[in-house]
Amino acid sequence: MPGKPIDLYYWPTPNGWKISIMLEECGLPYRVIPVNISQGDQFKPDFLAISPNNRMPAIVDPEGLDGKPISVFESGAILQYLGRKTGRFYPADERQRVEVEQWLFWQVGGLGPMAGQTHHFRGYAPEKIDYAINRYTNETKRLYGVMDKRLADRAYLAGDYSIADMACIGWIKPWEKQGQVLDDFPHLKRWFEAVTARPAVQRGLAVNKEDRGTLNAHDPKVQQLLFGNAPA
């Protein structure tokens, strides 16, 4: 689907990967605009005008669905928008769409936040709090189990490969940092290997891959930017 490139405001994180993967899967032209979350780019006025919650990813589509520019923030909303724009990976049939949306919102409201807290308390929190580590590690394990059960009799979360799978894959990728053992979830492991074998997924995960090594989340100044309410 040729056209003007979409601006992707991005940093290589599980939420950022959702959109780079979808853009690659759909073959849409796009331009990456890095949002260096360790330097406070997410608080710049130009970015806040697009993403008022000071979180990436966000996109600006210069053509929109009606020929007019549109900006979209929140990764789930972006996936839905791109699905409507392309007619791909987001079914038009209502029953099939509901299947996709259930698992998309399950990720947005459950897997992402819980795994994110697991990352934080296991790896980044300045104080090791056993209760928090155990609480979120165990909840992440429960969610892995939900996925494993769901995938026992189907290849993908909503039947066919969809934006629900794209939403989840980046949050399963760092399973070791979440204190999980992928071999404990054979159906999830099979799904993980199948999704990460897709060429578009591999390209999406590789976008600005080198930037991940530049983020030092143990630096107090960086922690203030990532976990505080405003720049120091």
Side-chain angles (χ1 to χ4, degrees):
M1 183 179 294
K4 296 180 180 178
I6 291 171
D7 285 340
L8 169 60
Y9 291 80
Y10 169 91
W11 199 247
T13 69
N15 284 332
W17 290 330
K18 297 177 190 178
I19 312 307
S20 57
I21 289 171
M22 179 61 166
L23 290 166
E24 289 288 344
E25 289 281 13
C26 293
L28 288 168
Y30 65 100
R31 178 180 66 159
V32 175
I33 301 175
V35 179
N36 190 327
I37 57 177
S38 67
Q39 294 184 2
D41 289 354
Q42 66 271 35
F43 295 103
K44 291 181 178 179
D46 288 350
F47 180 66
L48 289 174
I50 299 167
S51 182
N53 194 38
N54 60 268
R55 296 288 189 272
M56 66 86 221
I59 65 167
V60 175
D61 182 355
E63 296 178 329
L65 301 183
D66 56 3
K68 299 177 182 179
I70 186 172
S71 63
V72 190
F73 73 101
E74 286 296 324
S75 58
I78 298 169
L79 288 172
Q80 291 177 305
Y81 170 79
L82 293 174
R84 291 192 298 270
K85 178 182 176 72
T86 62
R88 301 190 66 192
F89 309 112
Y90 188 37
D93 176 81
E94 182 63 18
R95 289 184 179 273
Q96 294 176 358
R97 178 167 284 192
V98 167
E99 284 290 291
V100 171
E101 289 176 338
Q102 289 178 137
W103 289 96
L104 173 65
F105 285 104
W106 176 85
Q107 184 282 311
V108 171
L111 178 63
M114 294 301 103
Q117 293 290 354
T118 305
H119 287 166
H120 178 77
F121 285 105
R122 290 179 66 91
Y124 303 134
E127 178 186 354
K128 295 298 181 184
I129 304 172
D130 288 341
Y131 175 84
I133 291 171
N134 293 333
R135 161 76 176 93
Y136 289 111
T137 300
N138 289 337
E139 175 61 6
T140 299
K141 183 176 183 179
R142 185 190 73 81
L143 293 168
Y144 274 46
V146 171
M147 284 188 75
D148 191 64
K149 184 176 181 180
R150 173 69 176 179
L151 292 164
D153 60 354
R154 69 200 76 214
Y156 301 104
L157 287 167
D160 293 334
Y161 179 67
S162 73
I163 59 174
D165 302 289
M166 298 181 211
C168 290
I169 191 64
W171 286 103
I172 302 299
K173 186 174 183 291
W175 53 270
E176 291 176 294
K177 292 184 179 179
Q178 299 166 14
Q180 307 303 320
V181 178
L182 210 54
D183 286 337
D184 291 344
F185 306 96
H187 308 299
L188 175 59
K189 182 179 180 181
R190 184 264 309 154
W191 168 89
F192 177 81
E193 291 173 346
V195 174
T196 54
R198 295 177 67 92
V201 172
Q202 293 175 5
R203 293 194 300 271
L205 292 172
V207 173
N208 289 31
K209 182 179 179 180
E210 65 280 359
D211 287 334
R212 280 186 69 81
T214 67
L215 194 157
N216 179 9
H218 298 286
D219 183 324
K221 292 182 179 179
V222 174
Q223 287 204 342
Q224 175 64 24
L225 291 170
L226 296 180
F227 311 130
N229 294 319

